[in-house]
Amino acid sequence: SAAIMSRRATSRAIGAGLPLNIHVAPMVRLMSSSVEFSVNERLPSCALYKSAGKVGGGVSGDSSKPNPVAVVFGWIGSSRRNVKKYEEIYHSLGIDTITISGEEVKTHVMKPAKSLAVCNSIMDILTDESSDGLAARPLLLSGFSIGGYQVGNMMLTVKARGETEQSRFHDRLACTVFDSIIDYQGVPRGVSASIFPVDSVMQNALQQIIIYGFAAFPGAVEGQKASSDMFWNFPCAAPTLWIYSKDDKLVKAKNMKVVHDYWASKMGIDVSTLVLESSPHVQHLRNEPERYTNAMKEHITKSFAAHYAK
């Protein structure tokens, strides 16, 4: 985006000892901290770190503590404008955000290696112990729609870093939040609906193209299945909140219930749900703002209180 380009141009100017020009100087003034600036320089273009600043009554309960970090994987085609309202919920609770959004998310689905590369970049920052890193901060993971696939890849990335790093990550994870999650079987339908939200004929045609087109992307189906397996058998017992509706045209409520019931009964995960009678895919905050926000804040506040009490 233009903001990200300006951000990086500013960094190059500073690094070269050059004066800032009129176009990039405002971006510097908007940076809330040197950490925010440094982190964004190291993130891929589809990701953006935003600091909540110091918030009275935040989940840490102590303004001297560093803010927790929520890693939020957006849906296909989600824009910065789309995800901002969700970031604001986290920021109101004193939680910083790293949000993955934009058109590039489509390529993450077709090319799992790209998704894993993004997750590795995020993990590098979450484990960076320098003053510009985010190591040791409590964490929250969230996914919208196909973002559940990204969360699965995030956990695969954590596992690949070895038992010690995996154990540290699990200890840091205070809770998870999932909105309108699509499993890998729903990828063709999800992608086609994001491109043709109204035209059912074109949706069906594109679904078939995607199904057959996976053959052109070696490892696509295998990568999605690996992520799905990791998601189903989620390796961390952090409390979770699932938000979905009964009439979502892209995902079936009964399918999501099967997964979170499995988590509760087999994995011992504390599961909370907000199930709406009628609300379109990933539009639940817009349609039920009070219920959505209250459910989020209640779940997050309770989960972080338990995390800090350990």
Side-chain angles (χ1 to χ4, degrees):
S1 70
I4 292 170
M5 290 174 66
S6 296
R7 182 180 71 208
R8 288 176 176 160
T10 302
S11 177
R12 288 194 295 271
I14 292 172
L18 300 175
L20 297 175
N21 63 39
I22 191 170
H23 300 293
V24 298
M27 180 56 65
V28 175
R29 292 196 296 270
L30 289 172
M31 290 298 174
S32 63
S33 69
S34 61
V35 173
E36 185 178 69
F37 183 79
S38 176
V39 168
N40 280 320
E41 282 298 301
R42 292 175 285 158
L43 283 172
S45 60
C46 62
L48 184 68
Y49 170 65
K50 295 178 71 175
S51 171
K54 292 302 177 183
V55 177
V59 293
S60 71
D62 184 347
S63 60
S64 67
K65 293 180 180 178
N67 290 346
V69 180
V71 180
V72 182
F73 292 94
W75 60 95
I76 291 176
S78 55
S79 66
R80 288 296 315 149
R81 180 182 177 185
N82 294 147
V83 299
K84 183 179 179 181
K85 55 184 177 289
Y86 299 96
E87 292 173 337
E88 289 172 350
I89 295 176
Y90 292 115
H91 295 163
S92 72
L93 296 172
I95 301 173
D96 296 352
T97 52
I98 296 176
T99 308
I100 297 82
S101 61
E103 291 300 317
E104 188 178 328
V105 174
K106 290 178 185 176
T107 66
H108 299 167
V109 177
M110 304 300 286
K111 298 180 179 181
K114 287 196 172 186
S115 172
L116 292 169
V118 170
C119 293
N120 266 303
S121 296
I122 294 171
M123 275 300 296
D124 287 343
I125 290 168
L126 294 180
T127 56
D128 181 357
E129 297 182 358
S130 72
S131 59
D132 289 342
L134 304 177
R137 296 199 191 190
L139 302 173
L140 181 155
L141 280 180
S142 177
F144 293 85
S145 187
I146 207 66
Y149 154 78
Q150 302 270 58
V151 170
N153 278 343
M154 188 72 184
M155 300 311 290
L156 286 172
T157 300
V158 172
K159 182 179 180 180
R161 296 199 171 205
E163 291 185 7
T164 299
E165 195 59 64
Q166 185 178 31
S167 178
R168 288 174 179 169
F169 186 91
H170 291 179
D171 288 343
R172 294 169 64 189
L173 189 60
C175 62
T176 59
V177 177
F178 298 106
D179 183 326
S180 311
I181 289 299
I182 292 179
D183 199 4
Y184 86 93
Q185 294 96 334
V187 168
R189 187 179 182 188
V191 173
S192 61
S194 72
I195 297 173
F196 299 110
V198 178
D199 193 329
S200 60
V201 174
M202 291 301 295
Q203 277 187 30
N204 292 333
L206 185 55
Q207 282 183 52
Q208 296 307 310
I209 291 172
I210 293 171
I211 290 170
Y212 289 109
F214 276 144
F217 297 93
V221 174
E222 291 78 5
Q224 290 161 15
K225 287 183 177 179
S227 172
S228 178
D229 289 344
M230 175 59 76
F231 189 84
W232 262 85
N233 299 285
F234 205 74
C236 181
T240 188
L241 171 64
W242 285 57
I243 303 174
Y244 54 95
S245 70
K246 294 181 180 179
D247 67 347
D248 190 322
K249 296 185 183 304
L250 296 189
V251 292
K252 295 181 179 179
K254 66 178 183 180
N255 291 346
M256 282 181 278
K257 187 176 187 303
V258 167
V259 181
H260 66 63
D261 282 356
Y262 178 80
W263 280 17
S265 62
K266 301 297 183 181
M267 313 296 288
I269 296 175
D270 181 6
V271 176
S272 299
T273 61
L274 173 61
V275 183
L276 305 176
E277 287 294 325
S278 180
S279 180
H281 192 66
V282 296
Q283 298 298 313
H284 312 320
L285 176 57
R286 185 177 71 176
N287 289 324
E288 295 275 3
E290 185 173 355
R291 292 180 65 192
Y292 192 106
T293 302
N294 288 344
M296 286 274 288
K297 289 187 173 182
E298 180 181 354
H299 167 68
I300 293 168
T301 301
K302 178 181 176 182
S303 297
F304 273 94
H307 177 82
Y308 283 114
K310 290 180 181 178

